[in-house]
Amino acid sequence: MSYKLRNEVRTLRAAETLCSFSPALSKPLQETGGTSRDTGGNLPGRQQRMFGRKTSGEQCGRRRMKANDRERHRMHNLNSALDALRNILPALPEDAKLTKIETLRFARNYIWALTETLHMADHHPHTAASELRSPGSVSSLEWDSASPAESWSGTTADEVSCRTLTIDPPSFIPITIYLRSLHGENVTRNSW
DNA sequence: TAGGCCATCTGGTCCT
DNA sequence: AGGACCAGATGGCCTA
């Protein structure tokens, strides 16, 4: 089963479980006593906090559920943004969905690579392209998900993560992006 | 089985 | 007052 599919299944299951918490089903936590996914744990202590307040427990419970709903929505938005970010990063094998942290680090290093490409093109307009196109000249140093600071100060081979090495980046792509962007093309992952 | 990743809940804090 | 944001906690699923 692919990573993507697995996550979708997991999300669906989570959503199913969530229904047992849904006010729409008139089954508050208090009644169900939790499910197989007792997030937050320590029931019924949490129920007590959620619904057992001295000041109108029912109202408090409604507020809490609304807040949970907003938080869920906020996190979904955040994940959507991360997905969008993944989609504009260079192509990866279909199954190799980057984790959140990998996506952020990869994006930062990718931006660094693009910036570097621009600098080289500015200072060595005639040689930049050929240099950058040679595999390993620049790509191996920053294509990984090592921490950002290392990107700017120089990354050692040891700092390249194993996960990244398995990605096997194409021979240097950023120059292609740069050239395409010069022509006003909207470069996306699918256009590689 | 341990560890990584994830979704969710929760209470606190800040802002409008 | 209510919403947004955040970090900690928790439990499920998956892989090595």
Side-chain angles (χ1 to χ4, degrees), chain A residues 58-84:
Chain A
E58 193 179 337
Q59 185 188 0
C60 193
R62 266 201 300 272
R63 257 208 312 266
R64 190 59 260 178
M65 284 185 174
K66 269 182 78 176
N68 289 347
D69 203 49
R70 283 195 306 273
E71 176 66 8
R72 220 179 298 127
H73 190 250
R74 195 181 69 85
M75 294 309 293
H76 287 171
N77 281 339
L78 185 60
N79 288 336
S80 295
L82 269 171
D83 280 337

mmCIF file with all atom_site columns, all heavy atoms in Angstrom, chain A residues 58-84:
data_model
loop_
_atom_site.group_PDB
_atom_site.id
_atom_site.type_symbol
_atom_site.label_atom_id
_atom_site.label_alt_id
_atom_site.label_comp_id
_atom_site.label_asym_id
_atom_site.label_entity_id
_atom_site.label_seq_id
_atom_site.pdbx_PDB_ins_code
_atom_site.Cartn_x
_atom_site.Cartn_y
_atom_site.Cartn_z
_atom_site.occupancy
_atom_site.B_iso_or_equiv
_atom_site.pdbx_formal_charge
_atom_site.auth_seq_id
_atom_site.auth_comp_id
_atom_site.auth_asym_id
_atom_site.auth_atom_id
_atom_site.pdbx_PDB_model_num
ATOM 1   N N   . GLU A 1 58 ? -22.668 22.266 29.927 1.00 0.00 ? 58 GLU A N   1
ATOM 2   C CA  . GLU A 1 58 ? -23.111 22.018 28.554 1.00 0.00 ? 58 GLU A CA  1
ATOM 3   C C   . GLU A 1 58 ? -22.572 23.081 27.607 1.00 0.00 ? 58 GLU A C   1
ATOM 4   O O   . GLU A 1 58 ? -22.062 22.783 26.535 1.00 0.00 ? 58 GLU A O   1
ATOM 5   C CB  . GLU A 1 58 ? -24.631 22.003 28.498 1.00 0.00 ? 58 GLU A CB  1
ATOM 6   C CG  . GLU A 1 58 ? -25.157 21.447 27.180 1.00 0.00 ? 58 GLU A CG  1
ATOM 7   C CD  . GLU A 1 58 ? -26.676 21.432 27.167 1.00 0.00 ? 58 GLU A CD  1
ATOM 8   O OE1 . GLU A 1 58 ? -27.259 21.413 28.261 1.00 0.00 ? 58 GLU A OE1 1
ATOM 9   O OE2 . GLU A 1 58 ? -27.264 21.470 26.068 1.00 0.00 ? 58 GLU A OE2 1
ATOM 10  N N   . GLN A 1 59 ? -22.675 24.323 28.050 1.00 0.00 ? 59 GLN A N   1
ATOM 11  C CA  . GLN A 1 59 ? -22.192 25.424 27.215 1.00 0.00 ? 59 GLN A CA  1
ATOM 12  C C   . GLN A 1 59 ? -20.681 25.324 27.047 1.00 0.00 ? 59 GLN A C   1
ATOM 13  O O   . GLN A 1 59 ? -20.136 25.546 25.966 1.00 0.00 ? 59 GLN A O   1
ATOM 14  C CB  . GLN A 1 59 ? -22.553 26.767 27.862 1.00 0.00 ? 59 GLN A CB  1
ATOM 15  C CG  . GLN A 1 59 ? -22.182 27.947 26.974 1.00 0.00 ? 59 GLN A CG  1
ATOM 16  C CD  . GLN A 1 59 ? -22.354 29.272 27.702 1.00 0.00 ? 59 GLN A CD  1
ATOM 17  O OE1 . GLN A 1 59 ? -22.748 29.288 28.869 1.00 0.00 ? 59 GLN A OE1 1
ATOM 18  N NE2 . GLN A 1 59 ? -22.079 30.365 27.028 1.00 0.00 ? 59 GLN A NE2 1
ATOM 19  N N   . CYS A 1 60 ? -20.039 24.962 28.129 1.00 0.00 ? 60 CYS A N   1
ATOM 20  C CA  . CYS A 1 60 ? -18.590 24.817 28.071 1.00 0.00 ? 60 CYS A CA  1
ATOM 21  C C   . CYS A 1 60 ? -18.211 23.714 27.099 1.00 0.00 ? 60 CYS A C   1
ATOM 22  O O   . CYS A 1 60 ? -17.266 23.849 26.309 1.00 0.00 ? 60 CYS A O   1
ATOM 23  C CB  . CYS A 1 60 ? -18.070 24.486 29.463 1.00 0.00 ? 60 CYS A CB  1
ATOM 24  S SG  . CYS A 1 60 ? -16.307 24.642 29.613 1.00 0.00 ? 60 CYS A SG  1
ATOM 25  N N   . GLY A 1 61 ? -18.958 22.632 27.144 1.00 0.00 ? 61 GLY A N   1
ATOM 26  C CA  . GLY A 1 61 ? -18.690 21.534 26.219 1.00 0.00 ? 61 GLY A CA  1
ATOM 27  C C   . GLY A 1 61 ? -18.870 21.953 24.784 1.00 0.00 ? 61 GLY A C   1
ATOM 28  O O   . GLY A 1 61 ? -18.069 21.595 23.916 1.00 0.00 ? 61 GLY A O   1
ATOM 29  N N   . ARG A 1 62 ? -19.900 22.737 24.544 1.00 0.00 ? 62 ARG A N   1
ATOM 30  C CA  . ARG A 1 62 ? -20.138 23.213 23.168 1.00 0.00 ? 62 ARG A CA  1
ATOM 31  C C   . ARG A 1 62 ? -18.988 24.090 22.699 1.00 0.00 ? 62 ARG A C   1
ATOM 32  O O   . ARG A 1 62 ? -18.534 24.002 21.570 1.00 0.00 ? 62 ARG A O   1
ATOM 33  C CB  . ARG A 1 62 ? -21.447 23.995 23.108 1.00 0.00 ? 62 ARG A CB  1
ATOM 34  C CG  . ARG A 1 62 ? -22.636 23.137 22.689 1.00 0.00 ? 62 ARG A CG  1
ATOM 35  C CD  . ARG A 1 62 ? -23.760 24.011 22.158 1.00 0.00 ? 62 ARG A CD  1
ATOM 36  N NE  . ARG A 1 62 ? -24.237 24.961 23.155 1.00 0.00 ? 62 ARG A NE  1
ATOM 37  C CZ  . ARG A 1 62 ? -25.195 24.678 24.027 1.00 0.00 ? 62 ARG A CZ  1
ATOM 38  N NH1 . ARG A 1 62 ? -25.763 23.503 24.019 1.00 0.00 ? 62 ARG A NH1 1
ATOM 39  N NH2 . ARG A 1 62 ? -25.588 25.571 24.903 1.00 0.00 ? 62 ARG A NH2 1
ATOM 40  N N   . ARG A 1 63 ? -18.532 24.938 23.606 1.00 0.00 ? 63 ARG A N   1
ATOM 41  C CA  . ARG A 1 63 ? -17.421 25.822 23.251 1.00 0.00 ? 63 ARG A CA  1
ATOM 42  C C   . ARG A 1 63 ? -16.179 25.002 22.917 1.00 0.00 ? 63 ARG A C   1
ATOM 43  O O   . ARG A 1 63 ? -15.459 25.283 21.973 1.00 0.00 ? 63 ARG A O   1
ATOM 44  C CB  . ARG A 1 63 ? -17.114 26.775 24.413 1.00 0.00 ? 63 ARG A CB  1
ATOM 45  C CG  . ARG A 1 63 ? -17.637 28.176 24.206 1.00 0.00 ? 63 ARG A CG  1
ATOM 46  C CD  . ARG A 1 63 ? -16.789 29.182 24.937 1.00 0.00 ? 63 ARG A CD  1
ATOM 47  N NE  . ARG A 1 63 ? -16.500 28.835 26.323 1.00 0.00 ? 63 ARG A NE  1
ATOM 48  C CZ  . ARG A 1 63 ? -17.216 29.246 27.357 1.00 0.00 ? 63 ARG A CZ  1
ATOM 49  N NH1 . ARG A 1 63 ? -18.266 29.990 27.167 1.00 0.00 ? 63 ARG A NH1 1
ATOM 50  N NH2 . ARG A 1 63 ? -16.886 28.906 28.587 1.00 0.00 ? 63 ARG A NH2 1
ATOM 51  N N   . ARG A 1 64 ? -15.956 24.004 23.752 1.00 0.00 ? 64 ARG A N   1
ATOM 52  C CA  . ARG A 1 64 ? -14.771 23.173 23.540 1.00 0.00 ? 64 ARG A CA  1
ATOM 53  C C   . ARG A 1 64 ? -14.854 22.465 22.190 1.00 0.00 ? 64 ARG A C   1
ATOM 54  O O   . ARG A 1 64 ? -13.886 22.383 21.444 1.00 0.00 ? 64 ARG A O   1
ATOM 55  C CB  . ARG A 1 64 ? -14.686 22.150 24.674 1.00 0.00 ? 64 ARG A CB  1
ATOM 56  C CG  . ARG A 1 64 ? -13.391 21.384 24.733 1.00 0.00 ? 64 ARG A CG  1
ATOM 57  C CD  . ARG A 1 64 ? -12.190 22.283 24.899 1.00 0.00 ? 64 ARG A CD  1
ATOM 58  N NE  . ARG A 1 64 ? -11.501 22.521 23.643 1.00 0.00 ? 64 ARG A NE  1
ATOM 59  C CZ  . ARG A 1 64 ? -10.450 23.294 23.485 1.00 0.00 ? 64 ARG A CZ  1
ATOM 60  N NH1 . ARG A 1 64 ? -9.969  23.966 24.489 1.00 0.00 ? 64 ARG A NH1 1
ATOM 61  N NH2 . ARG A 1 64 ? -9.888  23.454 22.326 1.00 0.00 ? 64 ARG A NH2 1
ATOM 62  N N   . MET A 1 65 ? -16.020 21.953 21.879 1.00 0.00 ? 65 MET A N   1
ATOM 63  C CA  . MET A 1 65 ? -16.183 21.255 20.602 1.00 0.00 ? 65 MET A CA  1
ATOM 64  C C   . MET A 1 65 ? -15.991 22.197 19.424 1.00 0.00 ? 65 MET A C   1
ATOM 65  O O   . MET A 1 65 ? -15.410 21.826 18.407 1.00 0.00 ? 65 MET A O   1
ATOM 66  C CB  . MET A 1 65 ? -17.557 20.593 20.530 1.00 0.00 ? 65 MET A CB  1
ATOM 67  C CG  . MET A 1 65 ? -17.646 19.330 21.362 1.00 0.00 ? 65 MET A CG  1
ATOM 68  S SD  . MET A 1 65 ? -19.217 18.500 21.132 1.00 0.00 ? 65 MET A SD  1
ATOM 69  C CE  . MET A 1 65 ? -18.925 16.990 22.070 1.00 0.00 ? 65 MET A CE  1
ATOM 70  N N   . LYS A 1 66 ? -16.489 23.405 19.582 1.00 0.00 ? 66 LYS A N   1
ATOM 71  C CA  . LYS A 1 66 ? -16.287 24.398 18.508 1.00 0.00 ? 66 LYS A CA  1
ATOM 72  C C   . LYS A 1 66 ? -14.810 24.710 18.345 1.00 0.00 ? 66 LYS A C   1
ATOM 73  O O   . LYS A 1 66 ? -14.297 24.821 17.228 1.00 0.00 ? 66 LYS A O   1
ATOM 74  C CB  . LYS A 1 66 ? -17.058 25.687 18.826 1.00 0.00 ? 66 LYS A CB  1
ATOM 75  C CG  . LYS A 1 66 ? -18.466 25.710 18.276 1.00 0.00 ? 66 LYS A CG  1
ATOM 76  C CD  . LYS A 1 66 ? -19.151 27.028 18.583 1.00 0.00 ? 66 LYS A CD  1
ATOM 77  C CE  . LYS A 1 66 ? -18.702 28.139 17.656 1.00 0.00 ? 66 LYS A CE  1
ATOM 78  N NZ  . LYS A 1 66 ? -19.437 29.406 17.895 1.00 0.00 ? 66 LYS A NZ  1
ATOM 79  N N   . ALA A 1 67 ? -14.153 24.859 19.457 1.00 0.00 ? 67 ALA A N   1
ATOM 80  C CA  . ALA A 1 67 ? -12.715 25.148 19.415 1.00 0.00 ? 67 ALA A CA  1
ATOM 81  C C   . ALA A 1 67 ? -11.962 23.983 18.775 1.00 0.00 ? 67 ALA A C   1
ATOM 82  O O   . ALA A 1 67 ? -11.052 24.187 17.965 1.00 0.00 ? 67 ALA A O   1
ATOM 83  C CB  . ALA A 1 67 ? -12.187 25.414 20.823 1.00 0.00 ? 67 ALA A CB  1
ATOM 84  N N   . ASN A 1 68 ? -12.358 22.770 19.131 1.00 0.00 ? 68 ASN A N   1
ATOM 85  C CA  . ASN A 1 68 ? -11.716 21.597 18.523 1.00 0.00 ? 68 ASN A CA  1
ATOM 86  C C   . ASN A 1 68 ? -11.920 21.604 17.016 1.00 0.00 ? 68 ASN A C   1
ATOM 87  O O   . ASN A 1 68 ? -11.008 21.309 16.248 1.00 0.00 ? 68 ASN A O   1
ATOM 88  C CB  . ASN A 1 68 ? -12.298 20.310 19.102 1.00 0.00 ? 68 ASN A CB  1
ATOM 89  C CG  . ASN A 1 68 ? -11.868 20.093 20.532 1.00 0.00 ? 68 ASN A CG  1
ATOM 90  O OD1 . ASN A 1 68 ? -10.964 20.758 21.030 1.00 0.00 ? 68 ASN A OD1 1
ATOM 91  N ND2 . ASN A 1 68 ? -12.523 19.180 21.205 1.00 0.00 ? 68 ASN A ND2 1
ATOM 92  N N   . ASP A 1 69 ? -13.122 21.933 16.626 1.00 0.00 ? 69 ASP A N   1
ATOM 93  C CA  . ASP A 1 69 ? -13.457 21.963 15.200 1.00 0.00 ? 69 ASP A CA  1
ATOM 94  C C   . ASP A 1 69 ? -12.592 22.990 14.466 1.00 0.00 ? 69 ASP A C   1
ATOM 95  O O   . ASP A 1 69 ? -12.074 22.729 13.389 1.00 0.00 ? 69 ASP A O   1
ATOM 96  C CB  . ASP A 1 69 ? -14.935 22.302 15.044 1.00 0.00 ? 69 ASP A CB  1
ATOM 97  C CG  . ASP A 1 69 ? -15.463 21.823 13.704 1.00 0.00 ? 69 ASP A CG  1
ATOM 98  O OD1 . ASP A 1 69 ? -15.205 20.648 13.370 1.00 0.00 ? 69 ASP A OD1 1
ATOM 99  O OD2 . ASP A 1 69 ? -16.112 22.618 12.997 1.00 0.00 ? 69 ASP A OD2 1
ATOM 100 N N   . ARG A 1 70 ? -12.451 24.152 15.072 1.00 0.00 ? 70 ARG A N   1
ATOM 101 C CA  . ARG A 1 70 ? -11.624 25.190 14.448 1.00 0.00 ? 70 ARG A CA  1
ATOM 102 C C   . ARG A 1 70 ? -10.169 24.739 14.357 1.00 0.00 ? 70 ARG A C   1
ATOM 103 O O   . ARG A 1 70 ? -9.506  24.959 13.350 1.00 0.00 ? 70 ARG A O   1
ATOM 104 C CB  . ARG A 1 70 ? -11.713 26.485 15.262 1.00 0.00 ? 70 ARG A CB  1
ATOM 105 C CG  . ARG A 1 70 ? -12.979 27.270 15.052 1.00 0.00 ? 70 ARG A CG  1
ATOM 106 C CD  . ARG A 1 70 ? -12.809 28.684 15.592 1.00 0.00 ? 70 ARG A CD  1
ATOM 107 N NE  . ARG A 1 70 ? -12.361 28.713 16.978 1.00 0.00 ? 70 ARG A NE  1
ATOM 108 C CZ  . ARG A 1 70 ? -13.167 28.668 18.021 1.00 0.00 ? 70 ARG A CZ  1
ATOM 109 N NH1 . ARG A 1 70 ? -14.461 28.619 17.840 1.00 0.00 ? 70 ARG A NH1 1
ATOM 110 N NH2 . ARG A 1 70 ? -12.675 28.677 19.250 1.00 0.00 ? 70 ARG A NH2 1
ATOM 111 N N   . GLU A 1 71 ? -9.729  24.120 15.418 1.00 0.00 ? 71 GLU A N   1
ATOM 112 C CA  . GLU A 1 71 ? -8.337  23.678 15.441 1.00 0.00 ? 71 GLU A CA  1
ATOM 113 C C   . GLU A 1 71 ? -8.099  22.612 14.365 1.00 0.00 ? 71 GLU A C   1
ATOM 114 O O   . GLU A 1 71 ? -7.089  22.629 13.667 1.00 0.00 ? 71 GLU A O   1
ATOM 115 C CB  . GLU A 1 71 ? -7.992  23.132 16.823 1.00 0.00 ? 71 GLU A CB  1
ATOM 116 C CG  . GLU A 1 71 ? -6.595  22.556 16.954 1.00 0.00 ? 71 GLU A CG  1
ATOM 117 C CD  . GLU A 1 71 ? -5.499  23.604 16.795 1.00 0.00 ? 71 GLU A CD  1
ATOM 118 O OE1 . GLU A 1 71 ? -5.812  24.795 16.724 1.00 0.00 ? 71 GLU A OE1 1
ATOM 119 O OE2 . GLU A 1 71 ? -4.325  23.200 16.720 1.00 0.00 ? 71 GLU A OE2 1
ATOM 120 N N   . ARG A 1 72 ? -9.049  21.703 14.235 1.00 0.00 ? 72 ARG A N   1
ATOM 121 C CA  . ARG A 1 72 ? -8.945  20.669 13.216 1.00 0.00 ? 72 ARG A CA  1
ATOM 122 C C   . ARG A 1 72 ? -8.877  21.321 11.833 1.00 0.00 ? 72 ARG A C   1
ATOM 123 O O   . ARG A 1 72 ? -8.047  20.972 11.006 1.00 0.00 ? 72 ARG A O   1
ATOM 124 C CB  . ARG A 1 72 ? -10.164 19.751 13.298 1.00 0.00 ? 72 ARG A CB  1
ATOM 125 C CG  . ARG A 1 72 ? -9.837  18.278 13.111 1.00 0.00 ? 72 ARG A CG  1
ATOM 126 C CD  . ARG A 1 72 ? -11.090 17.451 13.237 1.00 0.00 ? 72 ARG A CD  1
ATOM 127 N NE  . ARG A 1 72 ? -11.705 17.565 14.552 1.00 0.00 ? 72 ARG A NE  1
ATOM 128 C CZ  . ARG A 1 72 ? -12.980 17.887 14.757 1.00 0.00 ? 72 ARG A CZ  1
ATOM 129 N NH1 . ARG A 1 72 ? -13.778 18.125 13.752 1.00 0.00 ? 72 ARG A NH1 1
ATOM 130 N NH2 . ARG A 1 72 ? -13.458 17.958 15.986 1.00 0.00 ? 72 ARG A NH2 1
ATOM 131 N N   . HIS A 1 73 ? -9.755  22.270 11.630 1.00 0.00 ? 73 HIS A N   1
ATOM 132 C CA  . HIS A 1 73 ? -9.805  22.972 10.348 1.00 0.00 ? 73 HIS A CA  1
ATOM 133 C C   . HIS A 1 73 ? -8.497  23.712 10.088 1.00 0.00 ? 73 HIS A C   1
ATOM 134 O O   . HIS A 1 73 ? -7.964  23.702 8.974  1.00 0.00 ? 73 HIS A O   1
ATOM 135 C CB  . HIS A 1 73 ? -10.985 23.940 10.344 1.00 0.00 ? 73 HIS A CB  1
ATOM 136 C CG  . HIS A 1 73 ? -11.264 24.544 9.003  1.00 0.00 ? 73 HIS A CG  1
ATOM 137 N ND1 . HIS A 1 73 ? -11.029 25.868 8.726  1.00 0.00 ? 73 HIS A ND1 1
ATOM 138 C CD2 . HIS A 1 73 ? -11.725 23.996 7.859  1.00 0.00 ? 73 HIS A CD2 1
ATOM 139 C CE1 . HIS A 1 73 ? -11.356 26.119 7.469  1.00 0.00 ? 73 HIS A CE1 1
ATOM 140 N NE2 . HIS A 1 73 ? -11.781 25.007 6.922  1.00 0.00 ? 73 HIS A NE2 1
ATOM 141 N N   . ARG A 1 74 ? -7.986  24.323 11.119 1.00 0.00 ? 74 ARG A N   1
ATOM 142 C CA  . ARG A 1 74 ? -6.732  25.067 10.982 1.00 0.00 ? 74 ARG A CA  1
ATOM 143 C C   . ARG A 1 74 ? -5.594  24.130 10.589 1.00 0.00 ? 74 ARG A C   1
ATOM 144 O O   . ARG A 1 74 ? -4.789  24.430 9.704  1.00 0.00 ? 74 ARG A O   1
ATOM 145 C CB  . ARG A 1 74 ? -6.397  25.750 12.318 1.00 0.00 ? 74 ARG A CB  1
ATOM 146 C CG  . ARG A 1 74 ? -5.338  26.825 12.225 1.00 0.00 ? 74 ARG A CG  1
ATOM 147 C CD  . ARG A 1 74 ? -5.063  27.433 13.594 1.00 0.00 ? 74 ARG A CD  1
ATOM 148 N NE  . ARG A 1 74 ? -4.403  26.493 14.473 1.00 0.00 ? 74 ARG A NE  1
ATOM 149 C CZ  . ARG A 1 74 ? -3.086  26.297 14.492 1.00 0.00 ? 74 ARG A CZ  1
ATOM 150 N NH1 . ARG A 1 74 ? -2.314  26.996 13.705 1.00 0.00 ? 74 ARG A NH1 1
ATOM 151 N NH2 . ARG A 1 74 ? -2.559  25.419 15.304 1.00 0.00 ? 74 ARG A NH2 1
ATOM 152 N N   . MET A 1 75 ? -5.561  22.981 11.239 1.00 0.00 ? 75 MET A N   1
ATOM 153 C CA  . MET A 1 75 ? -4.504  22.025 10.924 1.00 0.00 ? 75 MET A CA  1
ATOM 154 C C   . MET A 1 75 ? -4.677  21.450 9.519  1.00 0.00 ? 75 MET A C   1
ATOM 155 O O   . MET A 1 75 ? -3.697  21.185 8.822  1.00 0.00 ? 75 MET A O   1
ATOM 156 C CB  . MET A 1 75 ? -4.480  20.890 11.955 1.00 0.00 ? 75 MET A CB  1
ATOM 157 C CG  . MET A 1 75 ? -4.091  21.317 13.339 1.00 0.00 ? 75 MET A CG  1
ATOM 158 S SD  . MET A 1 75 ? -2.566  22.282 13.390 1.00 0.00 ? 75 MET A SD  1
ATOM 159 C CE  . MET A 1 75 ? -1.362  21.061 12.895 1.00 0.00 ? 75 MET A CE  1
ATOM 160 N N   . HIS A 1 76 ? -5.921  21.263 9.101  1.00 0.00 ? 76 HIS A N   1
ATOM 161 C CA  . HIS A 1 76 ? -6.149  20.795 7.730  1.00 0.00 ? 76 HIS A CA  1
ATOM 162 C C   . HIS A 1 76 ? -5.635  21.827 6.728  1.00 0.00 ? 76 HIS A C   1
ATOM 163 O O   . HIS A 1 76 ? -5.046  21.473 5.704  1.00 0.00 ? 76 HIS A O   1
ATOM 164 C CB  . HIS A 1 76 ? -7.639  20.528 7.505  1.00 0.00 ? 76 HIS A CB  1
ATOM 165 C CG  . HIS A 1 76 ? -8.116  19.295 8.183  1.00 0.00 ? 76 HIS A CG  1
ATOM 166 N ND1 . HIS A 1 76 ? -9.450  18.965 8.260  1.00 0.00 ? 76 HIS A ND1 1
ATOM 167 C CD2 . HIS A 1 76 ? -7.448  18.310 8.835  1.00 0.00 ? 76 HIS A CD2 1
ATOM 168 C CE1 . HIS A 1 76 ? -9.577  17.824 8.920  1.00 0.00 ? 76 HIS A CE1 1
ATOM 169 N NE2 . HIS A 1 76 ? -8.384  17.404 9.275  1.00 0.00 ? 76 HIS A NE2 1
ATOM 170 N N   . ASN A 1 77 ? -5.880  23.090 7.027  1.00 0.00 ? 77 ASN A N   1
ATOM 171 C CA  . ASN A 1 77 ? -5.378  24.153 6.151  1.00 0.00 ? 77 ASN A CA  1
ATOM 172 C C   . ASN A 1 77 ? -3.848  24.121 6.092  1.00 0.00 ? 77 ASN A C   1
ATOM 173 O O   . ASN A 1 77 ? -3.254  24.282 5.021  1.00 0.00 ? 77 ASN A O   1
ATOM 174 C CB  . ASN A 1 77 ? -5.833  25.525 6.641  1.00 0.00 ? 77 ASN A CB  1
ATOM 175 C CG  . ASN A 1 77 ? -7.257  25.813 6.262  1.00 0.00 ? 77 ASN A CG  1
ATOM 176 O OD1 . ASN A 1 77 ? -7.791  25.196 5.334  1.00 0.00 ? 77 ASN A OD1 1
ATOM 177 N ND2 . ASN A 1 77 ? -7.899  26.724 6.961  1.00 0.00 ? 77 ASN A ND2 1
ATOM 178 N N   . LEU A 1 78 ? -3.286  23.931 7.244  1.00 0.00 ? 78 LEU A N   1
ATOM 179 C CA  . LEU A 1 78 ? -1.824  23.862 7.305  1.00 0.00 ? 78 LEU A CA  1
ATOM 180 C C   . LEU A 1 78 ? -1.315  22.696 6.454  1.00 0.00 ? 78 LEU A C   1
ATOM 181 O O   . LEU A 1 78 ? -0.343  22.827 5.696  1.00 0.00 ? 78 LEU A O   1
ATOM 182 C CB  . LEU A 1 78 ? -1.379  23.699 8.754  1.00 0.00 ? 78 LEU A CB  1
ATOM 183 C CG  . LEU A 1 78 ? 0.124   23.738 9.029  1.00 0.00 ? 78 LEU A CG  1
ATOM 184 C CD1 . LEU A 1 78 ? 0.712   25.062 8.589  1.00 0.00 ? 78 LEU A CD1 1
ATOM 185 C CD2 . LEU A 1 78 ? 0.388   23.524 10.516 1.00 0.00 ? 78 LEU A CD2 1
ATOM 186 N N   . ASN A 1 79 ? -1.984  21.570 6.560  1.00 0.00 ? 79 ASN A N   1
ATOM 187 C CA  . ASN A 1 79 ? -1.574  20.401 5.781  1.00 0.00 ? 79 ASN A CA  1
ATOM 188 C C   . ASN A 1 79 ? -1.780  20.636 4.286  1.00 0.00 ? 79 ASN A C   1
ATOM 189 O O   . ASN A 1 79 ? -0.978  20.165 3.473  1.00 0.00 ? 79 ASN A O   1
ATOM 190 C CB  . ASN A 1 79 ? -2.343  19.164 6.236  1.00 0.00 ? 79 ASN A CB  1
ATOM 191 C CG  . ASN A 1 79 ? -1.872  18.686 7.587  1.00 0.00 ? 79 ASN A CG  1
ATOM 192 O OD1 . ASN A 1 79 ? -0.752  18.952 7.993  1.00 0.00 ? 79 ASN A OD1 1
ATOM 193 N ND2 . ASN A 1 79 ? -2.739  17.999 8.306  1.00 0.00 ? 79 ASN A ND2 1
ATOM 194 N N   . SER A 1 80 ? -2.845  21.340 3.948  1.00 0.00 ? 80 SER A N   1
ATOM 195 C CA  . SER A 1 80 ? -3.076  21.662 2.537  1.00 0.00 ? 80 SER A CA  1
ATOM 196 C C   . SER A 1 80 ? -1.929  22.520 1.998  1.00 0.00 ? 80 SER A C   1
ATOM 197 O O   . SER A 1 80 ? -1.470  22.334 0.864  1.00 0.00 ? 80 SER A O   1
ATOM 198 C CB  . SER A 1 80 ? -4.397  22.407 2.373  1.00 0.00 ? 80 SER A CB  1
ATOM 199 O OG  . SER A 1 80 ? -5.469  21.578 2.732  1.00 0.00 ? 80 SER A OG  1
ATOM 200 N N   . ALA A 1 81 ? -1.522  23.455 2.807  1.00 0.00 ? 81 ALA A N   1
ATOM 201 C CA  . ALA A 1 81 ? -0.417  24.319 2.394  1.00 0.00 ? 81 ALA A CA  1
ATOM 202 C C   . ALA A 1 81 ? 0.859   23.504 2.215  1.00 0.00 ? 81 ALA A C   1
ATOM 203 O O   . ALA A 1 81 ? 1.631   23.727 1.276  1.00 0.00 ? 81 ALA A O   1
ATOM 204 C CB  . ALA A 1 81 ? -0.205  25.422 3.428  1.00 0.00 ? 81 ALA A CB  1
ATOM 205 N N   . LEU A 1 82 ? 1.056   22.551 3.093  1.00 0.00 ? 82 LEU A N   1
ATOM 206 C CA  . LEU A 1 82 ? 2.231   21.697 2.972  1.00 0.00 ? 82 LEU A CA  1
ATOM 207 C C   . LEU A 1 82 ? 2.151   20.854 1.703  1.00 0.00 ? 82 LEU A C   1
ATOM 208 O O   . LEU A 1 82 ? 3.146   20.648 1.007  1.00 0.00 ? 82 LEU A O   1
ATOM 209 C CB  . LEU A 1 82 ? 2.347   20.791 4.192  1.00 0.00 ? 82 LEU A CB  1
ATOM 210 C CG  . LEU A 1 82 ? 3.167   21.348 5.350  1.00 0.00 ? 82 LEU A CG  1
ATOM 211 C CD1 . LEU A 1 82 ? 3.027   20.465 6.575  1.00 0.00 ? 82 LEU A CD1 1
ATOM 212 C CD2 . LEU A 1 82 ? 4.631   21.472 4.980  1.00 0.00 ? 82 LEU A CD2 1
ATOM 213 N N   . ASP A 1 83 ? 0.960   20.365 1.400  1.00 0.00 ? 83 ASP A N   1
ATOM 214 C CA  . ASP A 1 83 ? 0.772   19.593 0.164  1.00 0.00 ? 83 ASP A CA  1
ATOM 215 C C   . ASP A 1 83 ? 1.081   20.444 -1.056 1.00 0.00 ? 83 ASP A C   1
ATOM 216 O O   . ASP A 1 83 ? 1.713   19.988 -2.005 1.00 0.00 ? 83 ASP A O   1
ATOM 217 C CB  . ASP A 1 83 ? -0.662  19.064 0.080  1.00 0.00 ? 83 ASP A CB  1
ATOM 218 C CG  . ASP A 1 83 ? -0.851  17.820 0.928  1.00 0.00 ? 83 ASP A CG  1
ATOM 219 O OD1 . ASP A 1 83 ? 0.166   17.142 1.212  1.00 0.00 ? 83 ASP A OD1 1
ATOM 220 O OD2 . ASP A 1 83 ? -1.993  17.530 1.300  1.00 0.00 ? 83 ASP A OD2 1
ATOM 221 N N   . ALA A 1 84 ? 0.606   21.678 -1.007 1.00 0.00 ? 84 ALA A N   1
ATOM 222 C CA  . ALA A 1 84 ? 0.865   22.592 -2.125 1.00 0.00 ? 84 ALA A CA  1
ATOM 223 C C   . ALA A 1 84 ? 2.363   22.814 -2.279 1.00 0.00 ? 84 ALA A C   1
ATOM 224 O O   . ALA A 1 84 ? 2.881   22.880 -3.400 1.00 0.00 ? 84 ALA A O   1
ATOM 225 C CB  . ALA A 1 84 ? 0.141   23.917 -1.890 1.00 0.00 ? 84 ALA A CB  1
#
